[in-house]
Amino acid sequence: VNLLALAVPLFVIQVLNRYVSYGIDETLATLTIGVLIAVFFEQGFRRIRLRLAGVVNEQQEESLNQQSFGTMLRTKFSAIMHIPVCIKTEMVRGMDVVRSASSAGNIISLLDAPFSLLFLFAIYLISPTLAIVVIFAIVASILIAIFGRSTFENQTKKLQGFNVEASGMLVDAIDSADTLRVFNGTRKLLEKWNKKQAQIQKLKGVLAFRQANVASKLQGVVALMSVSVIAMGAMQVVEGSLSVGAMIGVNILASRALSPITKVT
């Protein structure tokens, strides 16, 4: 898949350098047919890869479901009797987080990430200077993601704790409804519920803002990288050390190199 992804930027380079310069229609036809074949096979392999990742993920999900729920059933009652019902429920629901993290799309993103080196190597063969620009963009993206994730961890743990507390209130409201009414605890529980929901919504808003902030910074890195590649590439074109087709092709390759990194982060 990643080797075939080189076809489009190479097509752009060859068309601008060969067809535009000499105007031979047979050259354009040959290049166009070749790149269409490459794109056809690339899309086909992407579909096959997605299906394979889905099959592997489905097997892992089934195993996780059996292990998590089976462990809960087989555990001695004395070992879990002191654990609140809400926490035990969240323990089983936690498998949803694992499943979302190991989805087919995430697996494919992890598989694609090392191939950024392939696109980076292709850029280096065309222009070592522009390769350095792309390296800086990749490093900047990784650092932004690392620092952004460190700010998410504490807030995410706090949100999980709030959700557990809210689940406990819900269990109490369902299982002890009559007791709450007899001892006039309905109003107090409702106040606690409203307060907890307000905390949850506030924390969700903070997390959403920070996630959007990280995404915005990553988009900024992509834009700055493209501007830098075009600007420095244009200088090399004027100097005669780089062609216009190669400059545009490097810009496409740079986006291909950075895209897997931003998806993984």
mmCIF file of all heavy atoms in Angstrom, residues 30 35 45 48 52 61 65 69-70 101 108 123 130-131 138 183 188 193 203 230 244 256 261 264:
data_model
loop_
_atom_site.group_PDB
_atom_site.id
_atom_site.type_symbol
_atom_site.label_atom_id
_atom_site.label_comp_id
_atom_site.label_asym_id
_atom_site.label_seq_id
_atom_site.Cartn_x
_atom_site.Cartn_y
_atom_site.Cartn_z
ATOM 1 N N THR A 30 0.936 7.321 -21.261
ATOM 2 C CA THR A 30 1.616 6.221 -20.561
ATOM 3 C C THR A 30 1.656 6.464 -19.056
ATOM 4 O O THR A 30 1.357 5.568 -18.252
ATOM 5 C CB THR A 30 3.049 6.061 -21.094
ATOM 6 O OG1 THR A 30 2.998 5.825 -22.511
ATOM 7 C CG2 THR A 30 3.753 4.898 -20.423
ATOM 8 N N VAL A 35 -0.320 5.395 -13.547
ATOM 9 C CA VAL A 35 -0.725 5.851 -12.212
ATOM 10 C C VAL A 35 -2.138 5.380 -11.881
ATOM 11 O O VAL A 35 -2.444 5.091 -10.714
ATOM 12 C CB VAL A 35 -0.602 7.383 -12.102
ATOM 13 C CG1 VAL A 35 -1.743 8.096 -12.826
ATOM 14 C CG2 VAL A 35 -0.565 7.815 -10.646
ATOM 15 N N PHE A 45 -5.758 -2.966 -2.206
ATOM 16 C CA PHE A 45 -4.979 -3.459 -1.063
ATOM 17 C C PHE A 45 -5.420 -2.801 0.239
ATOM 18 O O PHE A 45 -5.375 -3.427 1.302
ATOM 19 C CB PHE A 45 -3.482 -3.217 -1.297
ATOM 20 C CG PHE A 45 -2.868 -4.163 -2.289
ATOM 21 C CD1 PHE A 45 -2.033 -3.694 -3.288
ATOM 22 C CD2 PHE A 45 -3.130 -5.523 -2.223
ATOM 23 C CE1 PHE A 45 -1.465 -4.564 -4.213
ATOM 24 C CE2 PHE A 45 -2.564 -6.397 -3.135
ATOM 25 C CZ PHE A 45 -1.737 -5.919 -4.135
ATOM 26 N N ILE A 48 -8.465 -4.695 1.380
ATOM 27 C CA ILE A 48 -8.074 -6.006 1.904
ATOM 28 C C ILE A 48 -7.448 -5.853 3.284
ATOM 29 O O ILE A 48 -7.749 -6.619 4.215
ATOM 30 C CB ILE A 48 -7.095 -6.691 0.935
ATOM 31 C CG1 ILE A 48 -7.800 -7.028 -0.382
ATOM 32 C CG2 ILE A 48 -6.514 -7.957 1.561
ATOM 33 C CD1 ILE A 48 -6.874 -7.527 -1.469
ATOM 34 N N LEU A 52 -8.700 -7.453 6.857
ATOM 35 C CA LEU A 52 -7.824 -8.305 7.668
ATOM 36 C C LEU A 52 -7.696 -7.753 9.087
ATOM 37 O O LEU A 52 -7.757 -8.509 10.066
ATOM 38 C CB LEU A 52 -6.445 -8.408 7.016
ATOM 39 C CG LEU A 52 -6.366 -9.218 5.718
ATOM 40 C CD1 LEU A 52 -4.980 -9.114 5.100
ATOM 41 C CD2 LEU A 52 -6.714 -10.680 5.971
ATOM 42 N N GLU A 61 -11.471 -8.921 20.355
ATOM 43 C CA GLU A 61 -12.618 -8.427 21.118
ATOM 44 C C GLU A 61 -13.386 -9.573 21.769
ATOM 45 O O GLU A 61 -13.792 -9.485 22.935
ATOM 46 C CB GLU A 61 -13.554 -7.630 20.199
ATOM 47 C CG GLU A 61 -13.038 -6.251 19.844
ATOM 48 C CD GLU A 61 -14.059 -5.471 19.044
ATOM 49 O OE1 GLU A 61 -15.184 -5.991 18.859
ATOM 50 O OE2 GLU A 61 -13.740 -4.352 18.615
ATOM 51 N N ASN A 65 -13.910 -10.021 25.760
ATOM 52 C CA ASN A 65 -15.243 -10.105 26.364
ATOM 53 C C ASN A 65 -15.371 -11.345 27.256
ATOM 54 O O ASN A 65 -15.908 -11.281 28.361
ATOM 55 C CB ASN A 65 -16.306 -10.142 25.263
ATOM 56 C CG ASN A 65 -16.499 -8.802 24.600
ATOM 57 O OD1 ASN A 65 -16.289 -7.763 25.230
ATOM 58 N ND2 ASN A 65 -16.878 -8.799 23.343
ATOM 59 N N PHE A 69 -15.823 -10.721 31.417
ATOM 60 C CA PHE A 69 -17.068 -11.148 32.046
ATOM 61 C C PHE A 69 -16.901 -12.495 32.747
ATOM 62 O O PHE A 69 -17.449 -12.722 33.827
ATOM 63 C CB PHE A 69 -18.176 -11.239 30.996
ATOM 64 C CG PHE A 69 -19.547 -11.376 31.586
ATOM 65 C CD1 PHE A 69 -20.125 -10.342 32.297
ATOM 66 C CD2 PHE A 69 -20.261 -12.555 31.442
ATOM 67 C CE1 PHE A 69 -21.383 -10.464 32.850
ATOM 68 C CE2 PHE A 69 -21.520 -12.693 31.993
ATOM 69 C CZ PHE A 69 -22.091 -11.645 32.704
ATOM 70 N N GLY A 70 -16.102 -13.395 32.137
ATOM 71 C CA GLY A 70 -15.864 -14.696 32.760
ATOM 72 C C GLY A 70 -15.111 -14.565 34.065
ATOM 73 O O GLY A 70 -15.407 -15.280 35.037
ATOM 74 N N ALA A 101 -9.671 1.544 21.367
ATOM 75 C CA ALA A 101 -8.248 1.794 21.156
ATOM 76 C C ALA A 101 -7.634 0.819 20.167
ATOM 77 O O ALA A 101 -6.679 1.152 19.458
ATOM 78 C CB ALA A 101 -7.499 1.732 22.489
ATOM 79 N N ILE A 108 -4.330 0.018 11.633
ATOM 80 C CA ILE A 108 -3.767 0.398 10.342
ATOM 81 C C ILE A 108 -2.881 1.638 10.473
ATOM 82 O O ILE A 108 -1.829 1.738 9.844
ATOM 83 C CB ILE A 108 -4.908 0.633 9.328
ATOM 84 C CG1 ILE A 108 -5.563 -0.702 8.974
ATOM 85 C CG2 ILE A 108 -4.390 1.323 8.070
ATOM 86 C CD1 ILE A 108 -6.771 -0.575 8.104
ATOM 87 N N ILE A 123 11.978 11.814 -0.283
ATOM 88 C CA ILE A 123 12.227 13.263 -0.292
ATOM 89 C C ILE A 123 13.721 13.546 -0.230
ATOM 90 O O ILE A 123 14.229 14.436 -0.922
ATOM 91 C CB ILE A 123 11.506 13.927 0.898
ATOM 92 C CG1 ILE A 123 9.990 13.780 0.749
ATOM 93 C CG2 ILE A 123 11.881 15.404 1.017
ATOM 94 C CD1 ILE A 123 9.206 14.224 1.971
ATOM 95 N N LEU A 130 15.069 19.810 1.837
ATOM 96 C CA LEU A 130 13.636 19.722 2.096
ATOM 97 C C LEU A 130 13.317 18.552 3.019
ATOM 98 O O LEU A 130 12.338 18.600 3.784
ATOM 99 C CB LEU A 130 12.861 19.583 0.787
ATOM 100 C CG LEU A 130 12.989 20.773 -0.184
ATOM 101 C CD1 LEU A 130 12.139 20.541 -1.422
ATOM 102 C CD2 LEU A 130 12.590 22.072 0.500
ATOM 103 N N ALA A 131 14.143 17.517 2.993
ATOM 104 C CA ALA A 131 13.953 16.395 3.913
ATOM 105 C C ALA A 131 14.140 16.846 5.356
ATOM 106 O O ALA A 131 13.431 16.389 6.255
ATOM 107 C CB ALA A 131 14.924 15.267 3.577
ATOM 108 N N ILE A 138 7.857 16.541 11.535
ATOM 109 C CA ILE A 138 7.492 15.283 12.187
ATOM 110 C C ILE A 138 7.825 15.334 13.671
ATOM 111 O O ILE A 138 7.017 14.942 14.530
ATOM 112 C CB ILE A 138 8.213 14.104 11.504
ATOM 113 C CG1 ILE A 138 7.650 13.890 10.091
ATOM 114 C CG2 ILE A 138 8.063 12.826 12.323
ATOM 115 C CD1 ILE A 138 8.381 12.831 9.294
ATOM 116 N N PHE A 183 -36.931 7.824 53.914
ATOM 117 C CA PHE A 183 -36.057 8.650 54.753
ATOM 118 C C PHE A 183 -35.814 10.042 54.158
ATOM 119 O O PHE A 183 -34.867 10.735 54.552
ATOM 120 C CB PHE A 183 -34.720 7.940 54.963
ATOM 121 C CG PHE A 183 -34.825 6.715 55.825
ATOM 122 C CD1 PHE A 183 -34.942 5.454 55.253
ATOM 123 C CD2 PHE A 183 -34.841 6.826 57.212
ATOM 124 C CE1 PHE A 183 -35.047 4.320 56.045
ATOM 125 C CE2 PHE A 183 -34.946 5.701 58.008
ATOM 126 C CZ PHE A 183 -35.050 4.436 57.427
ATOM 127 N N LYS A 188 -31.857 15.135 48.414
ATOM 128 C CA LYS A 188 -30.407 15.229 48.621
ATOM 129 C C LYS A 188 -29.650 14.499 47.514
ATOM 130 O O LYS A 188 -28.643 14.989 46.997
ATOM 131 C CB LYS A 188 -30.047 14.649 49.980
ATOM 132 C CG LYS A 188 -28.576 14.804 50.337
ATOM 133 C CD LYS A 188 -28.298 14.299 51.741
ATOM 134 C CE LYS A 188 -26.815 14.488 52.081
ATOM 135 N NZ LYS A 188 -26.509 14.008 53.456
ATOM 136 N N TRP A 193 -26.628 14.484 42.406
ATOM 137 C CA TRP A 193 -26.606 14.061 41.002
ATOM 138 C C TRP A 193 -26.403 15.261 40.079
ATOM 139 O O TRP A 193 -25.578 15.224 39.156
ATOM 140 C CB TRP A 193 -27.907 13.344 40.682
ATOM 141 C CG TRP A 193 -28.110 13.053 39.213
ATOM 142 C CD1 TRP A 193 -28.799 13.811 38.315
ATOM 143 C CD2 TRP A 193 -27.593 11.937 38.490
ATOM 144 N NE1 TRP A 193 -28.752 13.239 37.071
ATOM 145 C CE2 TRP A 193 -28.023 12.075 37.149
ATOM 146 C CE3 TRP A 193 -26.831 10.828 38.841
ATOM 147 C CZ2 TRP A 193 -27.696 11.155 36.161
ATOM 148 C CZ3 TRP A 193 -26.508 9.900 37.852
ATOM 149 C CH2 TRP A 193 -26.935 10.070 36.536
ATOM 150 N N LEU A 203 -15.848 19.105 32.898
ATOM 151 C CA LEU A 203 -14.607 18.403 32.597
ATOM 152 C C LEU A 203 -14.586 17.932 31.147
ATOM 153 O O LEU A 203 -13.536 17.975 30.481
ATOM 154 C CB LEU A 203 -14.450 17.207 33.541
ATOM 155 C CG LEU A 203 -13.050 16.607 33.668
ATOM 156 C CD1 LEU A 203 -12.022 17.678 34.007
ATOM 157 C CD2 LEU A 203 -13.047 15.512 34.723
ATOM 158 N N ILE A 230 7.475 24.672 -0.015
ATOM 159 C CA ILE A 230 7.293 25.430 -1.250
ATOM 160 C C ILE A 230 8.281 26.597 -1.317
ATOM 161 O O ILE A 230 8.892 26.854 -2.367
ATOM 162 C CB ILE A 230 5.843 25.956 -1.358
ATOM 163 C CG1 ILE A 230 4.868 24.774 -1.487
ATOM 164 C CG2 ILE A 230 5.698 26.890 -2.549
ATOM 165 C CD1 ILE A 230 5.056 23.949 -2.731
ATOM 166 N N VAL A 244 10.557 22.302 -10.991
ATOM 167 C CA VAL A 244 9.238 22.658 -10.459
ATOM 168 C C VAL A 244 8.441 21.398 -10.127
ATOM 169 O O VAL A 244 7.770 21.308 -9.090
ATOM 170 C CB VAL A 244 8.470 23.528 -11.471
ATOM 171 C CG1 VAL A 244 7.050 23.787 -10.971
ATOM 172 C CG2 VAL A 244 9.191 24.846 -11.710
ATOM 173 N N ARG A 256 2.319 13.035 2.780
ATOM 174 C CA ARG A 256 2.207 11.586 2.987
ATOM 175 C C ARG A 256 3.055 11.136 4.172
ATOM 176 O O ARG A 256 2.676 10.234 4.922
ATOM 177 C CB ARG A 256 2.660 10.856 1.723
ATOM 178 C CG ARG A 256 1.750 11.039 0.530
ATOM 179 C CD ARG A 256 0.664 9.999 0.517
ATOM 180 N NE ARG A 256 -0.093 10.018 -0.717
ATOM 181 C CZ ARG A 256 -0.938 9.064 -1.076
ATOM 182 N NH1 ARG A 256 -1.121 8.015 -0.302
ATOM 183 N NH2 ARG A 256 -1.606 9.144 -2.203
ATOM 184 N N ILE A 261 1.842 10.015 11.056
ATOM 185 C CA ILE A 261 2.275 10.456 12.391
ATOM 186 C C ILE A 261 1.153 11.182 13.101
ATOM 187 O O ILE A 261 0.867 10.941 14.285
ATOM 188 C CB ILE A 261 3.516 11.370 12.289
ATOM 189 C CG1 ILE A 261 4.648 10.653 11.557
ATOM 190 C CG2 ILE A 261 3.970 11.817 13.663
ATOM 191 C CD1 ILE A 261 5.149 9.414 12.236
ATOM 192 N N VAL A 264 -1.586 8.692 14.252
ATOM 193 C CA VAL A 264 -1.212 7.894 15.428
ATOM 194 C C VAL A 264 -1.244 8.746 16.688
ATOM 195 O O VAL A 264 -1.725 8.326 17.740
ATOM 196 C CB VAL A 264 0.186 7.262 15.238
ATOM 197 C CG1 VAL A 264 0.680 6.652 16.540
ATOM 198 C CG2 VAL A 264 0.144 6.222 14.147
#
